[in-house]
Amino acid sequence: MYIGKTRNSKVEVKVTLHNNSLVFFNDGCTFNKSSTFIASEGKDIVVGRDVMFSSGCWLRNSDVHMIYDENKRRINESSDIIIGDHVWVGQNSYILKGSCIGSGSIIGLGSVVAKNIETNSSNAGNPVKKIKDHIFWDRQSSHFFVEKDTKKIKYM
């Protein structure tokens, strides 16, 4: 496991590593309360720079138990999870094996991701669906805004 320098000097995660797997967080990541990362079967979870995790996120690159088809061939192999730079992962989101999330993207609250997500797109739902292309986001919080602040930042 590797954790780069965080933006707020805080890391609150539960990480479970099995059998030569890696969980890697590049510099600038933030974690808002606890999230869970489970890496198995020699596959990895790699997180880029400046990724923001809300609370209650789960990332797991394995189904844990084997599933076989009628020919006795395994059909649920574990697979890496890759998250690009400057991604916002919303509260209680699940990112599953084989997912690749492009830089600059947003994963909305409660989403279940089990596929590739395009760069600079907003995505939400179960299963996750693209909401909008060509977006970008900013870490500034609107929690303490009043009406004049909201009007002031309507356009950049």
Side-chain angles (χ1 to χ4, degrees):
M1 181 171 145
Y2 173 83
I3 301 173
K5 183 174 175 27
T6 65
R7 281 181 165 266
N8 58 0
S9 300
K10 173 187 161 191
V11 177
E12 189 175 340
V13 295
K14 178 182 177 186
V15 176
T16 304
L17 295 169
H18 296 279
N19 196 20
N20 298 318
S21 297
L22 168 73
V23 174
F24 178 93
F25 300 101
N26 212 326
D27 292 339
C29 293
T30 55
F31 308 89
N32 182 13
K33 300 198 178 162
S34 189
S35 289
T36 301
F37 300 81
I38 304 171
S40 303
E41 205 171 340
K43 303 297 179 187
D44 305 324
I45 298 172
V46 178
V47 178
R49 294 181 187 281
D50 191 38
V51 174
M52 183 168 67
F53 290 95
S54 191
S55 59
C57 300
W58 278 76
L59 285 79
R60 58 184 315 150
N61 65 1
S62 171
D63 295 333
V64 182
H65 303 287
M66 276 39 80
I67 301 172
Y68 299 93
D69 67 12
E70 66 278 0
N71 298 314
K72 299 181 182 177
R73 184 180 63 227
R74 185 172 175 200
I75 60 172
N76 71 330
E77 291 184 25
S78 299
S79 186
D80 296 331
I81 295 172
I82 307 294
I83 299 178
D85 296 336
H86 192 65
V87 171
W88 175 7
V89 181
Q91 184 175 348
N92 297 326
S93 291
Y94 294 83
I95 300 174
L96 306 179
K97 67 180 185 175
S99 296
C100 183
I101 300 175
S103 295
S105 295
I106 299 169
I107 305 301
L109 178 141
S111 296
V112 177
V113 180
K115 65 179 189 175
N116 293 339
I117 300 295
E118 293 180 18
T119 299
N120 294 96
S121 62
S122 62
N123 306 267
N126 179 8
V128 74
K129 293 181 182 160
K130 183 172 20 173
I131 307 300
K132 186 152 179 60
D133 276 321
H134 310 295
I135 60 93
F136 65 97
W137 63 274
D138 175 327
R139 283 181 171 271
Q140 182 177 7
S141 173
S142 63
H143 281 315
F144 303 105
F145 278 17
V146 294
E147 188 174 348
K148 72 176 186 159
D149 298 319
T150 300
K151 286 180 182 178
K152 181 178 166 184
I153 64 157
K154 188 166 181 120
Y155 297 99
M156 288 210 57

